[in-house]
Amino acid sequence: MPQSPQSHPPTPEQVRSLRRRACAVFLALSLTGTAALTALTFGAAPAAHAAGVPAPSPIGIAGRGASVPFTELEAEYAATNGTFIGPDRLYGSLPSEASGRQAVTLNAVGQYVEFTLAKPANAMSLRYSLPDTADGKGRDATLDVRANGQSVKTLPVTSKYSWYYGGYPFNNNPGDTNPHHFYDESRTLLGSTYPAGTKIRVQVTSTAQSPGFTIDLADFEQVAPAAGKPTGALDAVADFGADPTGGTDSTARMQAAVDAGQAQGKTVYVPPGTYTLYDHVVVDGVTVQGAGPWYTVFGGRDPVNRNRAAGFYGKYVPGGGYTGPVRPHEANGPSKNVTLKDFAIIGDIRDRIDDDQVNAVGGAMSHSTLDNLWIQHVKVAAWMDGPMDRFTIQNSRFLDMTADGVNFHTGVTNSRVTNTFVRNAGDDGLASWPQDKPNTNISFDHNTVVLPILANNIVTYGGKDFTISDNVMSDTISNGGGLHIANRYPGVNSGRGTAVAGTITAARNTLIRTGNSDFNWNFGVGAIWFSGLNEAVQGASIKISDTDILDSSYAAIHSIEGPISGVEFTNVNIDGAGTYAIQAQSNIAAKFTRVTAKNIAQSATPIHNCIGAGLQITDGGGNSGWNTGQTCSGLWPAPVWTNGGVPSDPTTPPTTPPTTRRAPGAAGTGGMPRPARSGPRGARCPVPPRGWPPARRRPSHAPGTPAGTASPPVP
């Protein structure tokens, strides 16, 4: 029977019961299918609503993260007669991949989740999970969308873009181990604008197509009308015959349109419609503009040549980051002066094949901009193979990729990702990897990166003079942390000028429930972590300031694989760590000034140190809560979670965010057995050998990785 709605947080026994029932629901459905330096919003369960545990939200943190056009409402705090699941961070469990690690499962006709609009809205994007099918191909189903009791939409939902198994790069075989990547999103225009206070209900009308539906959240927004053709623009439909019904392949017609736009110096306007592309369109010196990402949508994949799919690519640079075959119209890059804006690319990528060029945006583009794009169901939203210069991604949404959200690969300079929302990437959310040519002066700022399924929210592998600031990172799932700064992956070394160098500024970031268990290492990765795998991180100035590290799944700060130096932590608030405040597994020299910590699970020994004098702490004053004891027990403790997990006293959940003092003037791998998860009590904690974990990723069109090194991110 579904759990009755509650008007108060669950008791400890109810929590244990809920966790047991969550596992039961998850297994049943699977088998059936075959600091705070700024204000935080805490989820709270109103009367007669689901029994969600209060947890900090990554949305709406003033001054930090992307300024999104939607209002996010979590299912666990909505009215429902379904079953609350979570909180749980165990890799492979259904709630572990939900926002806040909690959700609601509906498994009977008439069950629903009902959201109350906080602002007027005419559109909704629903994040959900359906169980897989026995053959791994996935299922299609529908949900009824109701406004104040009246049915207004039938929402298609699917599991065809979710459920992966096995070891890297993963497969669609339910008989393999390690099921993960459970969730997807479906969007709809509601047909009318509904005022604040409207009850929008998502309800099950049939279980014939799917035995269950797990609802994570809904994003509601007010979508503006479709934009018309700019004066003087070319029309891709009227002038070049692109098919807005999606019934035929429009690749050649779109290529003709952009070539004409370049030749004539005119914008190419793409009217409302759904356009099928069996290959990427190569752009150079042109603006491609849609009617808005809710109206102009590109999609498709070649039914024969499955390594080609919808996208827009710049021209490849000879000797650059891309080393695969190049067709004549793709050669002699980089492209320059490209603008792609106001449309969506919603692809049809249901697997991860590293060599396939099925990214939404790729190649090399200098002096170019991506603006207001919605990208979903592709391999990588934007894998950019330099050298290239002055490239900007802004005001965009990247959802449900099988690999990275963004990767700046090889010789990318003076470039930026800003005001962009990334959720459910299959690998790193935002990444820079200068494989054999330096990446310099990159800025990842004012972005929100949520729920990367593998690896990190934001990472720089090497790089010089980076800014990673004013971001929100939350809910890392496995094998990574929130923020990673490292000399890792092939080609990253000082001999090539690609190692971490110059000044790396990470200021005013908020990390929530980041870091998680690495299923290769079988211990936790920190929320902010450093690696010197290829060579020591030295000679750079790494400044981390005015940062909140909240409810980390394991350690808050972590060093591993090689010596780290030149790090300064200033005005850092650590509130909640599942294990330690600091986990030193390699030599690290760092200065700590006004770094405060509380709610550290290992409060008696908040520093894990098995390197002895290799941990060199310079005390800049104003520190508290973390330098009170050290341990090297040889065992990894089981994590204990706070805000987003089960509170130690569920009857008194947090009601106000923690605060941190400001400084004066400060600005506001393959075929592995299923691992033991989440740091089982009694697990050994050796310092891992260099080159461990085993290869997680491999290069695309690159020579084999030498023994003893990790494999690179994949385009």
Side-chain angles (χ1 to χ4, degrees):
M1 294 293 291
Q3 178 188 328
S4 301
Q6 297 185 22
S7 59
H8 53 80
T11 66
E13 180 53 36
Q14 287 171 325
V15 167
R16 287 190 289 271
S17 175
L18 289 172
R19 292 170 71 93
R20 289 193 296 268
R21 294 165 73 178
C23 293
V25 169
F26 169 68
L27 292 172
L29 293 183
S30 297
L31 293 173
T32 302
T34 317
L37 296 166
T38 54
L40 287 173
T41 299
F42 278 77
H49 285 52
V53 174
S57 170
I59 306 299
I61 300 176
R64 298 186 184 182
S67 179
V68 296
F70 55 81
T71 299
E72 188 159 285
L73 300 178
E74 297 273 1
E76 61 267 26
Y77 310 130
T80 184
N81 57 359
T83 302
F84 168 74
I85 63 171
D88 192 348
R89 304 187 201 183
L90 303 184
Y91 180 70
S93 72
L94 193 55
S96 73
E97 293 186 18
S99 175
R101 316 305 179 98
Q102 306 170 87
V104 173
T105 293
L106 312 176
N107 53 18
V109 172
Q111 290 194 336
Y112 64 86
V113 174
E114 184 173 86
F115 304 97
T116 301
L117 294 184
K119 297 178 181 178
N122 63 2
M124 176 185 74
S125 182
L126 185 76
R127 189 168 194 263
Y128 63 89
S129 177
L130 306 185
D132 202 3
T133 53
D135 61 4
K137 294 182 179 180
R139 67 179 76 240
D140 295 322
T142 59
L143 287 164
D144 189 30
V145 181
R146 300 176 175 232
N148 291 333
Q150 298 296 314
S151 180
V152 296
K153 286 285 180 176
T154 297
L155 181 69
V157 291
T158 185
S159 63
K160 291 180 177 178
Y161 301 100
S162 50
W163 290 89
Y164 290 82
Y165 303 88
Y168 174 87
F170 313 114
N171 61 64
N172 301 117
N173 176 17
D176 209 336
T177 58
N178 296 336
H180 63 281
H181 214 143
F182 304 122
Y183 289 83
D184 196 9
E185 296 190 33
S186 184
R187 68 181 192 172
T188 184
L189 292 168
L190 298 173
S192 299
T193 295
Y194 293 95
T198 301
K199 309 291 186 182
I200 302 294
R201 176 177 292 195
V202 178
Q203 183 165 313
V204 177
T205 56
S206 171
T207 56
Q209 299 166 311
S210 178
F213 306 76
T214 294
I215 310 301
D216 180 17
L217 57 83
D219 292 334
F220 293 96
E221 65 183 284
Q222 184 66 29
V223 177
K229 185 176 75 171
T231 301
L234 302 176
D235 188 310
V237 174
D239 298 332
F240 298 92
D243 180 4
T245 71
T248 59
D249 175 21
S250 289
T251 306
R253 294 175 175 87
M254 281 301 306
Q255 189 66 62
V258 300
D259 290 347
Q262 179 189 18
Q264 300 176 35
K266 293 183 177 181
T267 294
V268 175
Y269 172 72
V270 187
T274 299
Y275 300 85
T276 296
L277 302 178
Y278 284 170
D279 198 352
H280 53 251
V281 175
V282 177
V283 289
D284 188 9
V286 67
T287 293
V288 180
Q289 179 175 344
W294 284 84
Y295 302 106
T296 300
V297 181
F298 296 97
R301 188 176 190 180
D302 191 309
V304 177
N305 299 312
R306 301 297 283 170
N307 62 341
R308 302 292 179 187
F312 290 83
Y313 275 48
K315 295 178 178 179
Y316 296 119
V317 178
Y322 178 73
T323 58
V326 177
R327 296 171 290 183
H329 71 298
E330 300 171 323
N332 301 316
S335 295
K336 297 179 181 179
N337 302 315
V338 173
T339 299
L340 305 176
K341 62 185 295 187
D342 302 336
F343 59 81
I345 301 173
I346 301 180
D348 189 29
I349 307 306
R350 309 180 189 187
D351 48 25
R352 178 169 176 169
I353 300 175
D354 289 343
D355 290 348
D356 286 0
Q357 288 302 308
V358 291
N359 307 317
V361 182
M365 301 182 193
S366 291
H367 299 271
S368 297
T369 300
L370 312 184
D371 189 8
N372 192 28
L373 299 186
W374 179 306
I375 296 177
Q376 188 175 9
H377 296 159
V378 298
K379 186 174 70 172
V380 180
W383 182 284
M384 309 310 299
D385 284 301
M388 52 185 272
D389 184 55
R390 301 187 187 281
F391 176 75
T392 297
I393 300 173
Q394 62 189 24
N395 310 323
S396 295
R397 271 178 274 193
F398 301 157
L399 309 169
D400 308 321
M401 289 72 63
T402 64
D404 300 39
V406 174
N407 196 305
F408 286 168
H409 176 229
T410 301
V412 179
T413 57
N414 303 307
S415 295
R416 183 184 188 197
V417 181
T418 185
N419 200 43
T420 291
F421 182 84
V422 182
R423 181 162 59 206
N424 204 37
D427 213 306
D428 293 312
L430 300 178
S432 169
W433 175 34
Q435 184 174 8
D436 59 11
K437 295 177 177 62
N439 284 5
T440 63
N441 196 27
I442 302 296
S443 179
F444 294 153
D445 65 273
H446 296 93
N447 303 293
T448 300
V449 183
V450 182
L451 291 160
I453 303 304
L454 178 72
N456 307 281
N457 296 69
I458 299 179
V459 57
T460 175
Y461 301 108
K464 180 180 180 181
D465 295 334
F466 271 49
T467 297
I468 304 173
S469 295
D470 303 290
N471 302 290
V472 176
M473 298 158 253
S474 77
D475 294 299
T476 320
I477 302 302
S478 69
N479 289 47
L483 174 60
H484 187 29
I485 299 170
N487 284 336
R488 296 179 86 209
Y489 294 121
V492 176
N493 59 69
S494 55
R496 294 184 178 183
T498 55
V500 174
T503 299
I504 310 297
T505 300
R508 300 175 303 280
N509 294 301
T510 297
L511 298 91
I512 306 171
R513 297 179 297 273
T514 55
N516 219 296
S517 179
D518 187 299
F519 54 65
N520 294 314
W521 281 331
N522 285 320
F523 55 74
V525 173
I528 297 178
W529 68 299
F530 307 90
S531 167
L533 175 63
N534 292 5
E535 63 177 58
V537 176
Q538 60 186 0
S541 176
I542 302 172
K543 299 178 180 295
I544 297 173
S545 64
D546 302 296
T547 290
D548 292 291
I549 310 174
L550 308 178
D551 193 15
S552 303
S553 293
Y554 289 81
I557 298 167
H558 183 193
S559 66
I560 196 169
E561 296 180 316
I564 313 295
S565 61
V567 183
E568 296 182 23
F569 294 94
T570 306
N571 293 337
V572 175
N573 167 48
I574 302 170
D575 187 352
T579 53
Y580 302 101
I582 298 173
Q583 181 174 318
Q585 292 178 269
S586 68
N587 292 355
I588 180 169
K591 182 178 181 179
F592 292 77
T593 305
R594 294 183 297 278
V595 176
T596 62
K598 61 182 179 180
N599 297 317
I600 307 302
Q602 300 300 310
S603 57
T605 53
I607 296 178
H608 175 278
N609 176 17
C610 288
I611 58 172
L615 174 59
Q616 299 178 28
I617 294 174
T618 299
D619 189 340
N623 300 304
S624 66
W626 55 269
N627 201 6
T628 56
Q630 300 188 13
T631 186
C632 179
S633 66
L635 298 173
W636 290 113
V640 178
W641 302 313
T642 55
N643 297 336
V646 180
S648 57
D649 181 1
T651 64
T652 56
T655 56
T656 58
T659 57
T660 297
R661 295 185 301 275
R662 294 178 185 268
T669 120
M672 302 167 58
R674 189 175 186 86
R677 298 173 301 189
S678 290
R681 191 174 301 277
R684 292 284 172 182
C685 56
V687 177
R690 291 180 63 82
W692 185 262
R696 167 168 65 84
R697 296 180 272 190
R698 61 182 176 86
S700 177
H701 310 300
T705 304
T709 64
S711 294
V714 56

